[in-house]
Amino acid sequence: MDTAATNGAPADAGPPPAPYGDGPPPPSTGGRTTVRFAALLLLVPTVVIACRLADTDAVTPVPQLLAFLPWMLVPAGAALLFGLLARRRILMGWAAAVLALTGWFVRPYDTGLTDDPPGPVVAQLEVLTSNVEFGGATEALVAAIRREQPDLVFVQECEYRCSEALEAEISRTDYPYRNVVEGGGATGSAILSKHPLRPARGVPSTLAMPGSVAVIAGRDVNVQLAHPLPPVPGGMSLWHRELGRLRSFAAAAEGTPTVLAGDFNATQDHAAFRRLLDAGALRDSATLAGAAHTPTWPASVRRPLGTQIDHVLVSEDFSVRDARFLDLPDTDHRSVLVRLALHDVR
């Protein structure tokens, strides 16, 4: 007797269907949650890297996040890991693309360029820029100046006690030429020079940005301190405006030996900073010395997560021999000390 027929089932019936059909089972609730969480992790770095690719600083919070572009490696890497665990190819590809692009922009693209400008070297000089954080690192700065003996010193956030200490403790014999703007809190700034200084207009700003013309080896050199306001929420228009004024200064100075140094509150990942470089054909000393993306703020953070907002920018009349970063106590910035050679390119 046909057992199947007796049980009411067709004789040619196959095995019972799988509960979810022939395809793979649908993702579990936990798997869907993992995918959604990974996608959320990718949203911010995707927007930030898209703005970097589009050469725009966009609006808050993008400029603030661009300052910390290396930090985007963390959520992108985590999203890639979650994508691997969930076995979602689209998610893995998205995360890998964001991770690769972020890595490309934050790589230590140290050029270490050694090509000198045309013309003989007419002077060797060292330039120091230091943000002493409301004067807190004044004592350490004085010690650094005495030890290193740089030719030009640019000081930001030189609060009253800072300007008083520079006057009292830095010998006029060593630094007879000065352009000091006294002010409280972060507003004060100072330029000290071993070379003669002539008055210059400087750049109008909220925090003092004095400028002078230094006479070095018989040549006029524009020396300008940079300290625009930071790109804080609600202050973006002022940040753009003051970086724009520095860009105008750089454009007007093109063709003249120029040193523009200080706390720019901007990195090479900010479009506004790149436009400043392009306007005056200026170059970042740290990059030329093989130290691009070396963090200067916050002082306690190192590669790859720190950010370089303190710069010494120079015109094409200069070659860069060396760049060092000094850790001074009682400030959240690292100081930048570069060794330059001035060439006669006329």
Side-chain angles (χ1 to χ4, degrees), residues 118-245:
V121 173
V122 296
Q124 302 270 2
L125 64 153
E126 288 192 332
V127 177
L128 173 69
T129 180
S130 182
N131 182 319
V132 293
E133 193 181 9
F134 311 124
T138 297
E139 184 177 344
L141 173 66
V142 168
I145 293 172
R146 289 174 173 171
R147 180 180 66 250
E148 304 292 345
Q149 287 291 305
D151 296 86
L152 291 169
V153 181
F154 297 81
V155 189
Q156 305 89 58
E157 300 194 17
C158 190
E159 191 259 355
Y160 292 115
R161 57 177 165 161
C162 168
S163 55
E164 291 169 0
L166 293 178
E167 178 62 32
E169 300 180 38
I170 299 297
S171 170
R172 284 273 177 177
T173 302
D174 293 332
Y175 292 91
Y177 309 103
R178 309 180 182 208
N179 185 352
V180 179
V181 179
E182 295 185 343
T187 60
S189 295
I191 300 174
L192 277 60
S193 175
K194 292 186 174 182
H195 302 275
L197 295 179
R198 294 203 314 266
R201 182 170 178 266
V203 175
S205 58
T206 306
L207 309 176
M209 294 200 287
S212 298
V213 176
V215 181
I216 302 175
R219 301 199 61 191
D220 288 350
V221 177
N222 293 315
V223 292
Q224 174 63 51
L225 184 144
H227 195 199
L229 287 171
V232 296
M236 289 300 303
S237 60
L238 286 172
W239 179 70
H240 276 294
R241 184 183 309 160
E242 295 188 356
L243 278 175
R245 289 172 180 168

Side-chain angles (χ1 to χ4, degrees), residues 24 27 31 34-35 79-93:
T34 298
V35 170
L80 179 59
L81 177 61
F82 287 133
L84 290 168
L85 293 174
R87 299 181 181 179
R88 294 295 179 265
R89 292 182 179 178
I90 293 177
L91 181 61
M92 287 188 288

